[in-house]
Amino acid sequence: MPRGGYVGKILKIDLTSEKIDVIRTENYFNIDLFIGGKGLAAYTLWKELKTGIDPFSEDNLLVFATGPLTGTLCPGTRMCIATKSPLTGLFCDSYVGGHLGAEIKMAGYDAVIIGGKSEKPVYIWIHDENVEICNAENLWGLDTFRTEEMIRKEKGDMTIRVACIGPAGEKLVRFAHVNVDRYRQAGRGGTGAVMGSKNLKALAVKGTGAIPIYNVEEFIEKAKEAHRAVLENETAKARKRWGTARTIIFTADQDLLPTRNFREATFEAAENLSAEVLEKKFWIKHKACHSCPINCGKLGVVRSGRYAGTVVEGIEYETLALIGANCGIGNYEAVAYANLLCDMLGLDTISTGNVIAFAMECYEEGILTEKETEGLKLNFGNEESAIRLIEKIARREGLGDLLAEGVKRASEKLNSRCRRFAMHVKGLELPGYDVRASPGMSLAYITADRGGCHTRSWPISYEISGKAPDGTVIDRYSTEKRAYIVKRQQDETTACDTLVACWFLKTAVGNERYVGMLNAAAGMELTVEEFLAVGERIWNLTRLFNIREGLRKEDENLPDRAFEDPIPSGIAKGRKLEKSQLEYMLREYYAIRGWDENGIPRKEKIKQLKLDSLVSGV
């Protein structure tokens, strides 16, 4: 009998040999040390991947990992998809909501680990204990929406949950995503490209089982408390009405909104992309993930004009920021259509908006001419050319073949002048926050384990409020307390990702309620401090993984634009980062982490975190 919160089995599939194994969860990894979700994924990639493998080789693994609260009454649970990234060559964990994680648990598995490579296109069909590798040649080349429809039709069940790739994943676009439940995506780092490299078109799941709970009465009470906390939280209430789109006006007002490839930090057409406009003209329905009271998903439809009939969930802030403002596009209808194309073709909208904006600046600087663009006029604001370029990237046609490699590789192949405005960290394109107006985000970006990422730490809230978590008064533009804030948030988020709980709700729910639900569900007796120590342990393990894969201190840096080009207008006009500021924060961060001057975890820290037996010899 499995302990509560876990269903007790891990499914391992080798697509080369078509061998299917089931392993007891407690026999596979130490639950008390890693819990699940990101912890299970980090353990798997550390333990089972050979050092230095090509992410597109059959030796790479895809880990679909749930956590002990996935599929339960805990508000807003998700799932983790992890691999070695083809975009960065580093650890990559990407998260997705919807209902797939709950379905995998109800099918009887805490995780699905996929290795090898099929000789021909296939999809994996999981119906409780029945696991099949099915022919997908008829699905190859289809978009994600059609793929999901075809699998459900083939199996005769419209309630099946499907994770699949589009043409971008098949063509090994390095930032291809995995599409789930039609409008949900595990977007970052190229998980969809790894699926494509394995000739794996989809994972389809139907589960009919139950998830055991250690103390049912206590868990239900703790879950009710969490739901009440969410519904009473003012930020959660705003999220319920506006989704993430409400952030666009905030970042525009605070000089944080990437505009025209991060040349500027506020957008004159931000109001056209605002939640108020979307609510009035675009949204028609609220949608929620499993057991979530927020309904932050917004289904919208373009009702007239060139893009009439476009139906898409969102538009999320990151898409509005990167495909909208960062490309100089202030027409929400065009952004909605671009969003839909990315969802169907299988492209991460953050990276896509970034590479298009990069190409637009190269075009305006004369680095790319109409010969290379095949006649596309890639001026900022040209929505028609941006949309055409999305299609080219997904199919690796013309200039799209170069941009499908991501901004880092594309900039290295083009004129050296463009490297200074290739907006990435460690190969991962930057999300929707300009670091010149937020020193804390610069540290968060360069230390994030999967590359430039905003979901590991978001110190902006403390910078704007003027107070650190311990109540210390801080100046928005100083470097004071940034290392402490970033480290604290990274550990909290990583612990949250073991459950796997939603980032949007973690402040409302809080660590104490999460620990209460975890203990009641799984029969654990963790304190909040012990729970956060799990997050720190996993953060150090992914750090060691990245170091093993070649990460060096010099990789923890920002594009030259952050240091050389001051913000041209707005409340932060004239501001830019100084390299000495970044170096100071990084040194302080390493020291707080217990890492040496090169960012390598010290042996004492490894031992303290009980990782010494796992990573012996490092």
Side-chain angles (χ1 to χ4, degrees):
M1 180 72 180
R3 65 199 297 173
Y6 302 86
V7 290
K9 295 182 293 184
I10 290 175
L11 181 63
K12 295 190 73 176
I13 301 170
D14 187 320
L15 293 174
T16 302
S17 64
E18 298 192 345
K19 184 180 180 182
I20 299 171
D21 289 319
V22 176
I23 304 170
R24 298 299 303 173
T25 302
E26 289 188 329
N27 293 340
Y28 182 72
F29 80 115
N30 189 320
I31 288 173
D32 294 315
L33 290 183
F34 299 104
I35 298 180
K38 179 168 184 165
L40 192 161
Y43 172 87
T44 299
L45 296 184
W46 173 268
K47 192 74 175 175
E48 299 203 26
L49 281 194
K50 300 173 184 175
T51 303
I53 64 159
D54 186 325
F56 287 146
S57 77
E58 66 180 54
D59 293 327
N60 200 3
L61 296 175
L62 268 167
V63 184
F64 290 75
T66 72
L69 298 187
T70 303
T72 70
L73 293 177
C74 171
T77 58
R78 315 209 293 175
M79 74 165 301
C80 167
I81 303 178
T83 190
K84 181 179 177 181
S85 169
L87 190 62
T88 68
L90 304 176
F91 176 84
C92 174
D93 54 328
S94 196
Y95 295 81
V96 63
H99 301 268
L100 178 68
E103 204 74 24
I104 288 174
K105 287 279 286 287
M106 289 186 287
Y109 306 101
D110 292 310
V112 180
I113 301 171
I114 304 167
K117 177 180 180 178
S118 175
E119 290 185 0
K120 59 186 179 182
V122 296
Y123 73 91
I124 294 169
W125 164 234
I126 300 171
H127 186 189
D128 296 333
E129 294 183 353
N130 177 53
V131 181
E132 301 176 29
I133 300 173
C134 305
N135 190 304
E137 290 177 292
N138 64 318
L139 304 175
W140 207 251
L142 298 183
D143 66 49
T144 59
F145 291 7
R146 185 62 176 149
T147 298
E148 186 174 314
E149 292 168 1
M150 291 282 285
I151 290 175
R152 287 175 167 175
K153 182 178 179 181
E154 183 176 309
K155 296 301 179 185
D157 187 342
M158 298 308 291
T159 66
I160 290 169
R161 301 297 175 180
V162 179
C164 63
I165 61 173
E170 297 171 6
K171 294 290 187 179
L172 308 188
V173 175
R174 290 183 185 270
F175 46 90
H177 72 220
V178 178
N179 213 69
V180 174
D181 290 353
R182 197 177 186 93
Y183 293 120
R184 301 286 175 171
Q185 295 81 32
R188 308 244 61 197
T191 53
V194 175
M195 279 186 70
S197 73
K198 295 182 177 301
N199 280 328
L200 177 62
K201 182 65 174 177
L203 173 71
V205 187
K206 176 70 175 181
T208 61
I211 299 169
I213 298 295
Y214 179 77
N215 187 326
V216 175
E217 290 184 3
E218 183 181 354
F219 179 75
I220 290 174
E221 184 55 39
K222 296 292 185 183
K224 285 181 178 178
E225 289 178 14
H227 277 263
R228 283 194 295 269
V230 169
L231 292 172
E232 292 169 3
N233 181 271
E234 291 303 316
T235 300
K237 288 178 183 178
R239 183 83 69 184
K240 187 178 182 73
R241 178 175 178 183
W242 305 112
T244 62
R246 67 190 292 263
T247 309
I248 198 86
I249 299 302
F250 166 77
T251 55
D253 288 346
Q254 296 296 328
D255 274 11
L256 294 164
L257 179 61
T259 300
R260 299 180 185 89
N261 199 35
F262 289 80
R263 290 197 309 207
E264 302 148 61
T266 189
F267 187 38
E268 68 279 3
E271 290 284 349
N272 299 340
L273 304 174
S274 69
E276 289 81 0
V277 168
L278 296 178
E279 181 183 51
K280 182 179 179 180
K281 298 183 177 181
F282 183 60
W283 293 333
I284 58 172
K285 182 180 180 181
H286 302 285
K287 297 187 68 179
C289 298
H290 181 85
S291 188
C292 184
I294 291 298
N295 296 282
C296 75
K298 311 300 176 196
L299 190 69
V301 59
V302 177
R303 298 162 198 179
S304 62
R306 178 183 301 170
Y307 307 107
T310 296
V311 179
V312 70
E313 190 174 319
I315 313 161
E316 301 292 347
Y317 167 71
E318 294 295 337
T319 306
L320 291 165
L322 275 304
I323 291 183
N326 203 42
C327 293
I329 297 172
N331 175 8
Y332 82 84
E333 295 174 340
V335 177
Y337 183 70
N339 191 160
L340 178 64
L341 272 182
C342 287
D343 289 356
M344 295 177 71
L345 296 172
L347 291 169
D348 171 25
T349 57
I350 296 177
S351 287
T352 299
N354 231 303
V355 298
I356 291 174
F358 168 76
M360 285 176 165
E361 184 158 1
C362 286
Y363 179 81
E364 292 198 348
E365 291 292 321
I367 297 169
L368 287 174
T369 68
E370 287 189 32
K371 178 181 179 181
E372 287 86 17
T373 68
E374 296 177 301
L376 289 181
K377 299 182 185 300
L378 290 180
N379 303 95
F380 284 109
N382 190 326
E383 61 191 53
E384 294 179 16
S385 291
I387 287 168
R388 182 71 188 104
L389 199 51
I390 289 172
E391 296 169 339
K392 285 179 171 289
I393 291 169
R395 295 185 169 86
R396 283 188 175 270
E397 297 173 349
L399 178 61
D401 187 42
L402 174 66
L403 299 180
E405 293 291 292
V407 295
K408 180 178 185 292
R409 288 177 175 83
S411 68
E412 290 169 349
K413 293 180 180 179
L414 288 172
N415 189 302
S416 60
R417 285 191 294 132
C418 67
R419 294 183 191 180
R420 63 179 303 277
F421 56 78
M423 304 305 290
H424 71 89
V425 168
K426 302 173 188 171
L428 186 66
E429 289 79 15
L430 296 184
Y433 306 95
D434 193 312
V435 299
R436 294 172 295 183
S438 172
M441 279 311 296
S442 69
L443 183 63
Y445 283 165
I446 68 171
T447 59
D449 53 2
R450 70 177 183 184
C453 175
H454 65 294
T455 62
R456 276 46 177 158
S457 172
W458 200 77
I460 290 171
S461 57
Y462 293 112
E463 292 177 324
I464 298 296
S465 72
K467 284 190 177 181
D470 61 1
T472 304
V473 175
I474 57 175
D475 180 83
R476 174 177 173 178
Y477 301 113
S478 77
T479 58
E480 184 183 4
K481 290 279 186 175
R482 297 316 192 266
Y484 154 69
I485 293 170
V486 168
K487 190 263 186 190
R488 175 190 172 107
Q489 288 186 320
Q490 288 170 342
D491 291 348
E492 286 184 339
T493 300
T494 303
C496 183
D497 287 342
T498 67
L499 298 177
V500 181
C502 179
W503 302 317
F504 295 155
L505 304 185
K506 62 187 175 75
T507 300
V509 174
N511 293 323
E512 288 189 9
R513 293 188 185 91
Y514 278 133
V515 171
M517 287 186 285
L518 173 61
N519 287 341
M524 295 181 177
E525 296 180 352
L526 290 179
T527 64
V528 170
E529 291 72 23
E530 290 168 334
F531 175 63
L532 295 179
V534 174
E536 184 180 12
R537 178 179 300 118
I538 296 163
W539 190 262
N540 277 263
L541 183 58
T542 61
R543 179 71 177 190
L544 289 165
F545 178 90
N546 286 343
I547 290 169
R548 189 175 75 176
E549 295 305 315
L551 178 71
R552 297 294 178 264
K553 179 183 178 181
E554 50 266 31
D555 298 319
E556 302 197 302
N557 208 344
L558 290 163
D560 289 344
R561 169 152 286 164
F563 307 112
E564 297 176 359
D565 298 351
I567 292 176
S569 62
I571 63 170
K573 181 179 178 179
R575 290 201 172 271
K576 60 181 179 179
L577 279 175
E578 300 296 332
K579 289 191 176 183
S580 59
Q581 290 180 302
L582 195 65
E583 290 166 359
Y584 170 79
M585 289 188 290
L586 191 59
R587 283 196 305 272
E588 186 177 24
Y589 175 85
Y590 285 173
I592 291 174
R593 277 274 175 218
W595 298 352
D596 69 17
E597 64 277 7
N598 292 311
I600 300 172
R602 297 182 186 276
K603 290 183 179 180
E604 309 89 83
K605 174 58 66 174
I606 292 172
K607 185 175 182 180
Q608 176 196 335
L609 294 173
K610 301 178 182 179
L611 288 171
D612 44 325
S613 61
L614 179 62
V615 301
S616 59
V618 173

